[in-house]
């Protein structure tokens, strides 16, 4: 009878240890699922940020092209202004010449 009682005590201890181990396994599995979900979330954020970065790089490229075109337009306008100034001066000189030669 003593052996039977001892076996029952040992069986109870093994069952208790098994239950504890199952609970710990479930907790670890839950933590693993949480980590997997966090990783998936981070992956989605990273993909989104990479897409935003690519878009910003395209915007920067476009802005640089626009800036270069604007610089070219400014240079053309400056040249036109200089030419108009020279024409104005030339016309003024011609007017003065014509006014002095009329008399």
């Amino acid at each position: 009878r003593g052996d039977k009682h001892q076996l029952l005590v040992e069986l109870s201890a093994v069952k208790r240890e098994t239950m504890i181990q199952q609970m710990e396994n479930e907790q670890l599995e839950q933590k693993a699922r949480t980590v997997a979900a966090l990783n998936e979330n981070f992956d989605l954020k990273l993909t989104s940020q990479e897409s935003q970065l690519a878009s910003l790089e395209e915007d920067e490229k476009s802005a640089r092209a626009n800036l270069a075109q604007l610089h070219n337009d400014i240079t053309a306008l400056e040249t036109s202004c200089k030419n108009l100034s020279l024409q104005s001066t030339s016309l003024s000189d011609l007017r003065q010449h014509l006014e002095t030669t009329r008399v």
Side-chain angles (χ1 to χ4, degrees):
R1 188 162 200 208
D3 288 340
K4 188 176 181 182
H5 178 69
Q6 182 63 29
L7 288 174
L8 288 174
V9 169
E10 288 177 15
L11 180 61
S12 178
V14 167
K15 285 181 180 180
R16 190 176 315 112
E17 186 62 35
T18 301
M19 285 178 52
I20 291 171
Q21 190 64 45
Q22 284 177 339
M23 290 172 53
E24 288 174 353
N25 287 346
E26 288 173 6
Q27 290 174 345
L28 288 174
E29 288 172 359
Q30 180 57 40
K31 285 181 183 179
R33 286 190 293 271
T34 300
V35 167
L38 287 172
N39 281 340
E40 184 177 346
N41 188 31
F42 287 138
D43 286 345
L44 290 173
K45 285 181 181 178
L46 178 60
T47 299
S48 173
Q49 289 175 347
E50 287 172 341
S51 175
Q52 289 173 350
L53 180 59
S55 177
L56 287 172
E57 288 171 344
E58 283 298 316
D59 289 349
E60 180 186 18
K61 184 178 177 181
S62 176
R64 287 184 187 276
N66 289 341
L67 181 61
Q69 182 59 48
L70 181 61
H71 178 71
N72 290 339
D73 291 348
I74 289 172
T75 301
L77 285 172
E78 287 173 341
T79 301
S80 293
C81 285
K82 287 177 186 175
N83 288 338
L84 287 172
S85 178
L86 289 173
Q87 288 175 3
S88 176
T89 301
S90 178
L91 287 173
S92 291
D93 290 347
L94 180 60
R95 175 189 258 164
Q96 267 188 335
H97 174 72
L98 290 174
E99 286 177 357
T100 58
T101 56
R102 256 195 226 163
V103 179

